[in-house]
Amino acid sequence: MSEHGGKAGPRARRSGIADLVLQQGQASIDELVSAFGVSQMTIHRDLDELEREGWLRKVRGGATAAPSAVFESNARWRGSTMLAEKRQICAAALLTAEPGQVVIVDDSSTAMPFAKGLPERGAFTVITNSLQVINELTGAPEIQVIGLGGVYQASFNAFVGMFTADMARSLRADVAYISASAVDNGQCYHQSQEEVLVKRAFLESARKRVLLVDHSKFGRQALYRLAPLTDFDLVISDSGLPEAESQALRAAGIRVELAPGD
């Protein structure tokens, strides 16, 4: 009997594989064969299915939870990385939010501390496609939540696609707080075209746009261009952003704020 139970059905086994890869960040084929007591061929099929569903990325000899230029990591994995930087960025972003505003909060893990902090700032109307944000703000007495429907994608824990984007465009917000997977050469990018569709609709619907992006995203690559940084009224990053990078952004006319460390 394997550590995770070789008698488990395919669905339970795949759930266990996803949990293991997300917890460790990566796992080899041999490690998964040993852990789940099945053949290499079965593990390969499981990884193919989990990759199709967006839980992990299959690589030579195993699987990883880390993102690539064409693969956005699972929401659970993203929520476990760069936590201090995300809290710092969102603390700075919360200072820009004024009670009474209608704000858009996207489904990025970077924006989650912002959403959690909004009830302490006062009354807001929040437009979001994130199921996590909806659940987080449910019951907050001074927060009205407008949840955007569409096609639910488990890997993002959010609603994405054409219907979500159309609903976003039918609304008008004071400020949109969004993130991106990569920033390079004055542009921000994302691996998912469905996410890009929704985020662009958010930008169209807001009077003011704020990009929340930690320093690790700079110089990273992703497949689809979201928008130039000049489309944002403010870019908030953390103190880990190299001085040369921040100076270059300011020289290009981009307003940049670096959130102080803890």
Side-chain angles (χ1 to χ4, degrees):
M1 180 75 69
S2 70
E3 177 186 350
H4 292 269
K7 301 297 185 182
R11 181 176 297 180
R13 184 180 63 250
R14 288 170 186 163
S15 177
I17 291 170
D19 285 342
L20 182 62
V21 174
L22 292 172
Q23 180 181 6
Q24 296 182 175
Q26 61 183 13
S28 69
I29 295 291
D30 290 342
E31 181 181 1
L32 294 172
V33 166
S34 176
F36 293 92
V38 293
S39 69
Q40 287 193 359
M41 184 175 296
T42 297
I43 292 296
H44 276 288
R45 286 197 298 264
D46 288 342
L47 294 180
D48 287 339
E49 179 64 20
L50 289 168
E51 182 176 53
R52 186 189 68 79
E53 294 174 358
W55 288 101
L56 48 75
R57 177 163 57 99
K58 191 177 180 184
V59 296
R60 183 177 179 85
T64 178
S68 71
V70 296
F71 175 84
E72 169 68 312
S73 54
N74 181 269
R76 180 173 152 195
W77 170 256
R78 297 196 308 274
S80 67
T81 63
M82 305 297 287
L83 295 178
E85 290 82 357
K86 290 171 183 175
R87 286 194 294 265
Q88 293 158 13
I89 290 167
C90 288
L94 282 165
L95 297 178
T96 71
E98 300 176 6
Q101 287 182 327
V102 178
V103 299
I104 291 171
V105 182
D106 74 358
D107 58 36
S108 64
S109 62
T110 303
M112 268 310 301
F114 175 84
K116 291 179 179 180
L118 273 177
E120 297 180 5
R121 289 284 293 168
F124 290 90
T125 296
V126 176
I127 300 169
T128 186
N129 65 321
S130 167
L131 187 57
Q132 186 177 2
V133 170
I134 292 171
N135 290 334
E136 178 66 33
L137 296 178
T138 296
E142 292 192 288
I143 304 293
Q144 179 184 32
V145 180
I146 300 176
L148 302 178
V151 177
Y152 176 76
Q153 192 158 334
S155 59
F156 296 118
N157 195 18
F159 300 93
V160 296
M162 179 181 66
F163 296 117
T164 313
D166 286 345
M167 281 182 273
R169 291 191 188 94
S170 72
L171 301 169
R172 187 65 176 164
D174 294 297
V175 192
Y177 295 91
I178 75 169
S179 189
S181 299
V183 178
D184 188 48
N185 197 29
Q187 305 280 337
C188 56
Y189 298 85
H190 201 281
Q191 298 93 335
S192 165
Q193 58 182 324
E194 292 85 0
E195 282 276 2
V196 167
L197 191 65
V198 174
K199 289 175 187 282
R200 285 180 178 171
F202 285 162
L203 295 179
E204 293 174 22
S205 300
R207 180 177 56 85
K208 180 179 179 182
R209 298 94 166 262
V210 179
L211 180 67
L212 311 177
V213 58
D214 71 72
H215 72 272
S216 71
K217 305 290 182 63
F218 287 82
R220 183 181 291 179
Q221 293 184 336
L223 185 58
Y224 300 101
R225 186 175 70 89
L226 170 58
L229 295 182
T230 50
D231 277 6
F232 293 90
D233 298 276
L234 176 63
V235 175
I236 304 179
S237 190
D238 60 272
S239 57
L241 186 69
E243 180 63 25
E245 184 76 55
S246 62
Q247 288 181 355
L249 294 174
R250 293 186 175 102
I254 299 161
R255 185 184 169 201
V256 180
E257 179 179 343
L258 300 183
D262 293 334

